Structures are given as C-alpha cells and as structure tokens.
Amino acid sequence: MAKVTPKQKNERIEVRVKTKVNSDFKATGHNWWKAKSKAELGQQVLETAAFLKEQQQYRWRQASTFARLYGNMPLTGFAGSSLGKMNTPNMLPIDRPTFNVVQSCTDTLVSRIAQSKPRPVFLTDNGDYKQRNLAKQLNQFITGEFFQTKAYQLMERMLLDSAVVGTGVLKVYEDNNKRVALERVLCNELLVDANDAFYGTPRTMYQLKLVDRAVLAQYLPEERSKIAAAEQAYPDASSESQRTMSDQIMVVEAWHLPSSETAEDGRHTIACTSGVLLDEQYNKSTFPFVFLHYSPRMVGFWAQGLAEQLMGTQTEINKLLITISQSISLVGVPRVFVEDGSKVVKAHLNNDVGSIVTYRGTKPEYEVAPSVHPELYAQLQRLIDYAYQQSGISALAATSQKPAGLNSGQALRNYDDLQSDRFATLNKRFDNVAIDLAYIMIDLAKDIAERDGKYQTVYPNKDGTREIDLPMADLLDNPFVIQCYDSSSLPRDPAGRKQAVIEDMQAGLISPEEGRRLVDYPDLDQVNKLAFAAEERILQILDEIVNDSKYTPPDPYIDIARAKTLVVQYYNLHVPAGLEESKAQLLRDWQTQVLELEQAAMPQAAPAAAAPMAVPAAPPVNEMIPYGS
C-alpha cells in the first residue's frame, strides 16, 4: 500500500508503493476516531492502515498463493505479466498442473450451492393488517433491490472468493446516482487489528482501495482539488503492476463502530495522500459489508478456504504428475536395438508406412521400456480420491455423473440429500448473506429516502416490472422478522421434482392444478397461465379492495365457486387483523353479488319423472390424483 512519513510543517503526507511505518508510531497510540483536526485525522488514519498492512503481509502472500492454486494468477502485480513459464518452441505453458483438484472441487461446490436463490422474506410477529400490508410491500421492495443490484450474481462470485481465499465480501454503498449498490471486495483490501478481531467481532475496520480519480471526483465533488492533487498509486511495488494507463489513487476508508446505542464515538472517514475527503459520524451497529466465511477459524476474523485445505494434497499431486511426466519423457519412448556388427541400413529405420528394412545377421528389435511403476499411478488416484473426500464433493458430481443404478426420482432425491448434508452449515451461511444484505440495503435506502424525500426501485414479477416506493416506516423494528427461504425447496432434477410433487398430491397437501404448476415443465407455461387466469383475476380484485378500497363488481364470467371461497377467506383473514370497516363492507357487498350471480345461473327447468339410476362405474386410477378423491 503506502509509505507514510510524519507530517512536517508545510508538508503533506506521502503515500508511495512500498509500505514503511513511521518509527515513532505505536500500535496502540492512534485512536484516529478521537482526532480533533482533519490534518491529525488524515495522518492517523493513513499511518494506522499502513502499520496494519505491514504487520499482516502474510495475508497478501497467502491470498496470492491460494489464487494461483485455483487459477494460476496472483492477486497483485498481474498487469502485463505472463500466466506461466512458456516453452519457447511451441509457446505452451510448462509449469501448470494437468489435474487441478482445487479448481475442480471449487467450481463444483459453487455450482451446487449457488443454484439456490435464498429470498429474504419479511414476516410479522402477531402483527395487525397494516403491519402485514407493510411487510408485503417490503418483500416487493427487497425483491426489486436484489434485481436492481444483481445481488445473486455477486453472491455467486462471493461464494467463489470464500472457497478460494477463505472469506468472500460484498459492500453495500450509495453510488453516484444516489442509489443503493453492491460491489465485490477482495478480503485482502480490508484490514482489522488482530487483537480487536480475536473473537471475530472487530470494532474498527479499514479498506484500502484503488479508485479512479474521475469517479471519486464525481462522488465527492466538493473535494475535487484534493483528489486532483493526490498521487497516483499502485497496489504493490512490482514493475508489472505499474504498467497501466489507469489514473487511480489509493484511498483509505475507515469505520469505527459506536461503543453503544447512545454513544457518539462512531466515525466514518475517507482519506488519501492529500488529506481527508470525508469525515462524518457513524451510528450504525455494523460495517457496510456482508461476509461469507467458508470455514471459520478458532480465533480471528478471517476464515480458511477450500484452496488452503486442499493445498497439501494438490502439491503432492503436482509432484507425482511432474515425476510421471519426466519419467515418460526420459524412458517411455520407442527405441531400436541393433546388434553391433549387423548389416542394417539405419536410413531404413524410419516412420514411413510400408518401409522395407534390409539387414544381415541379427534382426533389429523395437522396444518400449516400462517408464512408470504402477504404484505411482495408484498413489496418484488415491490422492485425487482423497482430495474429493476431503472437500466433501463426489468425483461423480464433479464430472456431472450419477451413480449407476440410481434412476428413480426417490433414489436421486436421497442421493442429492446426502450430498447436501455435507454443506448444510455452508448453505446456512450462504442464506444468511441474503438476510444481512436485506437489512443493510433497506437501512441505507431508508437514509436516502429521509434525505431526498423518497426512494423507488423496480419490482419484477410475472406480469413485467413496476416501480415500488420504499415504505416510510420504522422498517427494522420488532414487528418485522426477516427469514430466508430458497426460491424452490423441490429437487432440481426433473425426476425428483415430479416424484416429490406426486407424493404431495397423493397425500392431499396440494391440488392437481397446483401440482402441475410446481412440476414447471417449460412447455406448460401457456397452459398454466390459462388454468390460473380465473383465480388470479379474483385475487387481484380482492387485493384491490383490501389495499386500495377499489371495488370491481363480479360479472358472469367469474369463477363463482372459487370466488365464494376466496372472499370468505379474505374476510376472515383481514377483519380480525384490524381491517377498516369500509373495506370490510366492500367485501360483504362483493360476496352478496357473487351469491346473486350464482342464484341467477341456476337452471329453472321443470321437474321430470325420475329415471332409473345406473350403477356408477369405478373412477379411473391416476397417480396424479390424491387417494380418496
């Protein structure tokens, strides 16, 4: 990061490529959040960040090692550098392993877990009608924000970061358009004191980031002069990292959490080489980051990743592969044995098809010597199998295969459940990322709405998109609890999904129509729309009555039987929860009109003589119909 020198008179702090801490600096001597002046604040923030970076250089080395294990690329100094040693004749890489179990296990893990789309849902705790309605609006709002910020794509990349370097990070911030935004952050950009974070809950955090000068000037227009005067910086001292056309400056952003809910010692500061760019009170209880730890350590904040766990096994695999490759190159090539003194024309020993070899005396012999002992191949396979066992990932899953004999939906579901149990805790942490994002994003949106008067997002649904206003209320108080659900709890494979739906239909838990929707075959979309159109129309009319007092009378084209059931359910749901009397009366009026339509539709035919009744035939047996129906 930076070299920080003491600030002399008429001098500004210098940030250079190499980090060297002021000799007068004491690890516990700078409580920058207590600084009285901006000059003192900027110097202390930069010196503290530089001190922590120098003390934690091992984190940069480890992260670079794990990144190379996964993708053969370091995290710093990569601009203009080659991906590996190149063999001059054919320009092929010669220093890469030919079997990368770290990459195979990591990609399989990410592909498996990221298939779920955890959806944060606001639920009320014994809330009345208004609170339930507010929770519904919040659910639409957070769905729109996740859509706008591409949260699920970033969460997938966050999961990959956690598997490779141990901890994946997403930052929630306000962008130049005054909107809530998300960005991926590498964990080695963040610094915490080891003692402060001993139990994993630091009170102070620093972010070192290269920022484009023009973008920063747009974000903080009142500090354009300081931003223009800041020195261009590089992430490290390597010559490769400085081969760039970008105009970037190194920025240190620091947060100190308040000591209590009523304390005023929380502080948020942004500083660069030319001084303090932002200084404000910070009254949040958490940092504006969401963390995903792959395998938390016993102490400390940063976690252990899958690449670190597989590092020893991958090293042994690489050594064996190199040994086998060298052995085959040296020994495993065809050789021709010609007896000394025999009359053999060596020019005839070529690779021509149908060539004639003339000789006298002993016939020349072609031989390929055994170059690699079978035990080497056996040990290589044992190490590969152990790597998959260590990571909890099946080698069949890594190659998109299923065990032989598993063909039924039930068998595939049981096998899928066994695979999922290994990652139950990681799945839970991945779900919690969505919950934490929901809290921080809504909290930031609330701040923007209070400052600017409103905040809108785009809510995507099956009928298109529409704008949703952030409800102006105390959003995160006790009546609201955020829970997280997968977007689908059914199996992912078609056979398993169909079997699960059929079982629920046979148990009478869902109707055949609902079962057809849950099977979700691509070619049933139009059929599903037509099948649910009548019910969707009734729900829309009742929602408009309950939410907006908008009354649409029923007509003869409505599904009368379904309308009678739904209006009673709506009445019994909302009236005890405090629905206004005017809206309750509209529901009663609507039910009365439905009953009148039913009465009018009844046939008025004259009674006829009773005909003999035939013996009813047994209904056809269909596994898609619940038993007893």
Side-chain angles (χ1 to χ4, degrees):
M1 154 44 194
K3 174 183 177 182
V4 179
T5 59
K7 185 173 182 183
Q8 305 294 337
K9 188 176 182 180
N10 297 327
E11 257 186 15
R12 58 188 175 88
I13 302 172
E14 291 186 4
V15 177
R16 300 193 183 279
V17 176
K18 295 183 178 179
T19 302
K20 187 174 182 180
V21 180
N22 177 12
S23 60
D24 297 331
F25 177 81
K26 295 182 180 179
T28 59
H30 279 170
N31 293 336
W32 56 268
W33 53 93
K34 298 181 181 179
K36 302 301 183 183
S37 65
K38 282 195 173 183
E40 180 184 4
L41 174 63
Q43 180 179 359
Q44 290 186 2
V45 167
L46 292 177
E47 285 191 355
T48 305
F51 172 81
L52 291 176
K53 184 177 184 302
E54 184 175 6
Q55 294 297 313
Q56 300 177 16
Q57 282 295 314
Y58 67 92
R59 288 185 53 219
W60 271 259
R61 293 192 296 269
Q62 288 179 342
S64 187
T65 299
F66 303 146
R68 291 190 74 93
L69 278 173
Y70 173 77
N72 203 39
M73 279 283 288
L75 292 182
T76 56
F78 60 85
S81 61
S82 60
L83 295 180
K85 297 177 183 178
M86 307 302 284
N87 191 5
T88 304
N90 51 18
M91 293 302 293
L92 294 176
I94 61 174
D95 64 340
R96 299 188 193 178
T98 56
F99 196 96
N100 191 337
V101 293
V102 172
Q103 189 176 58
S104 175
C105 292
T106 299
D107 289 346
T108 304
L109 172 76
V110 172
S111 176
R112 182 176 186 81
I113 294 181
Q115 288 185 44
S116 67
K117 305 296 183 188
R119 186 170 63 92
V121 177
F122 284 86
L123 300 177
T124 56
D125 183 10
N126 197 25
D128 58 15
Y129 160 72
K130 291 183 178 180
Q131 290 176 331
R132 291 178 185 174
N133 190 45
L134 182 57
K136 179 180 178 181
Q137 295 179 48
L138 286 175
N139 289 332
Q140 295 177 347
F141 179 83
I142 197 61
T143 301
E145 283 297 275
F146 270 46
F147 172 76
Q148 288 281 81
T149 59
K150 298 185 168 114
Y152 290 120
Q153 293 92 319
L154 291 173
M155 286 172 61
E156 181 178 343
R157 189 60 185 270
M158 179 192 199
L159 179 60
L160 176 62
D161 289 343
S162 70
V164 175
V165 297
T167 300
V169 188
L170 291 181
K171 182 179 181 181
V172 184
Y173 70 101
E174 181 182 351
D175 62 13
N176 289 344
N177 298 320
K178 309 303 179 184
R179 305 284 307 173
V180 175
L182 300 180
E183 72 172 352
R184 171 199 178 211
V185 176
L186 291 174
C187 67
N188 62 344
E189 293 180 3
L190 301 179
L191 293 169
V192 294
D193 183 80
N195 288 343
D196 185 28
F198 187 80
Y199 293 106
T201 54
R203 306 291 305 170
T204 308
M205 184 172 290
Y206 308 84
Q207 183 185 10
L208 311 180
K209 186 173 181 62
L210 282 172
V211 182
D212 185 90
R213 196 187 302 268
V215 173
L216 187 59
Q218 288 292 325
Y219 187 73
L220 298 170
E222 65 277 4
E223 301 293 346
R224 288 181 182 273
S225 58
K226 291 182 181 179
I227 295 172
E231 293 184 1
Q232 191 173 10
Y234 306 97
D236 55 39
S238 66
S239 59
E240 292 290 346
S241 68
Q242 302 181 34
R243 298 175 60 182
T244 175
M245 298 300 295
S246 301
D247 183 16
Q248 296 176 317
I249 62 175
M250 182 66 74
V251 173
V252 179
E253 190 169 4
W255 297 264
H256 178 70
L257 302 182
S259 303
S260 66
E261 292 184 0
T262 58
E264 298 181 356
D265 57 346
R267 201 164 185 177
H268 173 217
T269 299
I270 301 177
C272 65
T273 58
S274 56
V276 176
L277 302 178
L278 176 67
D279 181 28
E280 62 183 2
Q281 185 177 350
Y282 192 74
N283 55 10
K284 309 294 183 184
S285 60
T286 59
F287 300 108
F289 298 98
V290 177
F291 299 94
L292 175 60
H293 301 291
Y294 180 82
S295 180
R297 303 180 191 270
M298 294 297 295
V299 295
F301 185 75
W302 308 110
Q304 182 185 48
L306 180 60
E308 182 177 354
Q309 295 175 354
L310 297 178
M311 182 177 177
T313 305
Q314 181 69 69
T315 302
E316 290 299 314
I317 291 175
N318 292 351
K319 288 166 60 178
L320 278 179
L321 289 173
I322 292 173
T323 300
I324 292 173
S325 176
Q326 291 177 344
S327 300
I328 293 177
S329 298
L330 293 174
V331 183
V333 293
R335 288 179 171 83
V336 181
F337 291 87
V338 179
E339 184 178 1
D340 190 18
S342 63
K343 302 295 184 179
V344 177
V345 181
K346 295 181 180 180
H348 293 171
L349 303 176
N350 52 51
N351 60 353
D352 293 339
V353 178
S355 60
I356 299 175
V357 179
T358 59
Y359 71 95
R360 290 182 186 177
T362 305
K363 179 181 177 181
E365 297 180 1
Y366 290 80
E367 184 174 339
V368 179
S371 54
V372 181
H373 194 278
E375 182 62 24
L376 281 179
Y377 288 109
Q379 175 64 5
L380 176 62
Q381 188 59 48
R382 281 195 293 267
L383 287 173
I384 293 174
D385 294 340
Y386 174 70
Y388 286 116
Q389 295 171 8
Q390 187 179 8
S391 63
I393 295 172
S394 167
L396 294 175
T399 55
S400 299
Q401 299 180 24
K402 66 178 181 64
L406 294 187
N407 298 316
S408 69
Q410 180 65 35
L412 289 172
R413 266 193 298 159
N414 292 338
Y415 178 71
D416 189 71
D417 290 341
L418 290 175
Q419 293 286 304
S420 300
D421 288 345
R422 173 64 173 80
F423 306 110
T425 55
L426 182 60
N427 268 312
K428 184 62 178 177
R429 288 195 289 271
F430 186 69
D431 291 347
N432 287 337
V433 167
I435 298 176
D436 295 339
L437 279 177
Y439 271 113
I440 298 177
M441 291 171 70
I442 289 182
D443 196 31
L444 179 57
K446 177 185 173 184
D447 292 341
I448 298 174
E450 290 178 349
R451 184 194 65 205
D452 299 340
K454 68 175 182 177
Y455 186 93
Q456 288 185 328
T457 189
V458 174
Y459 170 64
N461 58 19
K462 59 186 177 181
D463 298 322
T465 60
R466 61 190 179 95
E467 290 189 348
I468 296 294
D469 288 326
L470 175 67
M472 296 301 296
D474 199 357
L475 307 178
L476 302 180
D477 275 356
N478 291 335
F480 298 97
V481 178
I482 296 184
Q483 295 189 6
C484 197
Y485 296 97
D486 192 337
S487 61
S488 175
S489 58
L490 292 172
R492 289 179 291 271
D493 59 282
R497 176 181 287 263
K498 181 178 179 181
Q499 182 67 29
V501 171
I502 290 175
E503 290 173 1
D504 287 345
M505 292 168 59
Q506 291 174 343
L509 300 178
I510 59 176
S511 65
E513 292 79 9
E514 183 70 9
R516 181 173 58 184
R517 184 184 66 82
L518 291 175
V519 171
D520 195 22
Y521 287 135
D523 56 349
L524 292 181
D525 286 345
Q526 184 63 24
V527 177
N528 288 336
K529 286 183 179 180
L530 295 175
F532 303 134
E535 182 171 337
E536 289 290 336
R537 182 182 175 218
I538 298 172
L539 293 175
Q540 180 184 0
I541 293 174
L542 296 178
D543 281 339
E544 290 175 347
I545 292 176
V546 170
N547 295 331
D548 306 321
S549 298
K550 180 181 177 182
Y551 187 83
T552 302
D555 54 49
Y557 298 100
I558 204 164
D559 186 340
I560 295 177
R562 190 64 180 146
K564 288 169 53 180
T565 302
L566 288 176
V567 69
V568 172
Q569 291 175 345
Y570 262 67
Y571 189 87
N572 292 328
L573 172 67
H574 293 294
V575 169
L579 183 67
E580 295 89 337
E581 175 59 27
S582 60
K583 296 180 179 178
Q585 183 60 45
L586 290 178
L587 289 177
R588 291 192 291 267
D589 294 342
W590 202 81
Q591 183 193 30
T592 301
Q593 288 190 272
V594 169
L595 294 177
E596 291 174 354
L597 286 174
E598 182 184 36
Q599 185 69 25
M602 294 179 63
Q604 302 295 330
M613 297 181 62
V615 178
V621 178
N622 189 337
E623 65 172 1
M624 296 291 284
I625 303 299
Y627 296 141
S629 298

